[in-house]
Amino acid sequence: MLNKTLLKTNFKRPGIKTPGLFIFVKNYTTMRFFSVIIPLHNSAATLDELLQNIREQDEDIEVIIANDSSTDNWEEVVSKYNDLDIVKVECHETVHCPHNTKQTGLNNATGELITFIDHDDLFAKGAFKNVRARIKEKNLDIYCFTMFDEVQYDCVDNVVANYSANNSATWMHGKFYNRKNCIEKLNLRFYKDLATHEDVFFNHNLMAKLVLFNITGGVMVFQEDLLTYHWRNWPNSTSRQWGPTFIYDNMKDYILALSYPYLSLIRDWNN
């Protein structure tokens, strides 16, 4: 299949009060069952292994590569995977941060289910087939939150820790969101220009709406006992370079990510 290049444009959907957020609407042509969003910034060194990992899933997958000002040879790496349905999008925001890059990818995703993966992580073997089967079995039409593990960066069989949705509900790892019934219906977006804690903001936004609108009977998240994601503990990754004071150093972002989803819903509810 041909690689497609799409450029982000700004678009505000009328009637939605979302200060600090940006929304993009596009017409869908072809639709895959899965959309995988990969935020990218000078990540060619690990992108090759990830794309090979996605190829080996042998599923109906659209790959959204959201690039943020990379200067390495990432496009050369992508060119080796013409058999994959790859959409290349450029983030043109003036503030360079994961929130804006992930939102750019989300703006262009057309699959029925949307999931995110960091450029230096991998999916578990058979992850997508297992998720598709579980969704059909249990009629999961909003989301499918699965398990992930932390593995040694150079050996995915060397497991350091296991994480369930109960103790990692705010992370993006291993989470599959229904585009129409979850992302679009609940108007889930990342907070524009927020430098850190994009996962916390996004998933608390989801949980707040699930509870307040009583969509899941007051339960924030349901966990599926499926392992779908390998979080590789690269010693030089961006998150690990922050060290143990990460939350303290970014307390303003952390408080906003935790509180804004609930406060904004209360405000809109009262209005």
Side-chain angles (χ1 to χ4, degrees), residues 4 6-7 9 11 13 24-32 62 64 87 106-111 179-180 184:
K4 297 166 285 183
L6 302 176
L7 298 180
T9 58
F11 180 89
R13 187 179 297 171
F24 175 89
V25 177
K26 76 188 196 64
N27 294 323
Y28 302 121
T29 52
T30 59
M31 184 186 298
R32 296 287 183 177
E62 167 192 65
I64 309 291
V87 178
L106 186 60
N107 290 342
N108 292 281
T110 65
R179 177 174 54 79
K180 291 184 177 180
E184 295 180 358

Side-chain angles (χ1 to χ4, degrees), residues 152-170:
Q152 194 65 25
Y153 71 94
D154 56 352
C155 180
V156 297
D157 294 327
N158 188 351
V159 178
V160 177
N162 290 291
Y163 295 85
S164 69
N166 293 330
N167 60 16
S168 62
T170 59

Side-chain angles (χ1 to χ4, degrees), residues 33-34 56-61 113 123-140 144-147 174 176 224-230:
F33 191 79
F34 294 100
E56 292 171 356
Q57 295 290 326
D58 191 28
E59 254 289 354
D60 188 22
I61 300 173
L113 284 181
F123 289 110
K125 184 177 180 180
F128 290 83
K129 291 187 183 303
N130 291 335
V131 167
R132 185 195 282 264
R134 183 60 56 88
I135 287 173
K136 182 178 180 180
E137 172 193 349
K138 301 182 69 173
N139 194 28
L140 303 175
C144 182
F145 280 12
T146 66
M147 301 171 63
F176 296 77
E224 299 301 317
D225 58 344
L226 296 174
L227 175 65
T228 63
Y229 193 108
H230 297 309

Side-chain angles (χ1 to χ4, degrees), residues 195-206:
T196 62
H197 296 97
E198 73 277 5
D199 295 14
V200 174
F201 176 86
F202 191 89
N203 284 311
H204 272 284
N205 197 9
L206 167 62

Side-chain angles (χ1 to χ4, degrees), residues 6 8 55 73 139 158 171 176 196 208 213 216 225 248 254:
L6 302 176
K8 175 192 175 299
R55 172 190 277 167
N73 66 327
N139 194 28
N158 188 351
W171 295 21
F176 296 77
T196 62
F213 299 145
T216 54
D225 58 344
Y248 178 80
Y254 186 61

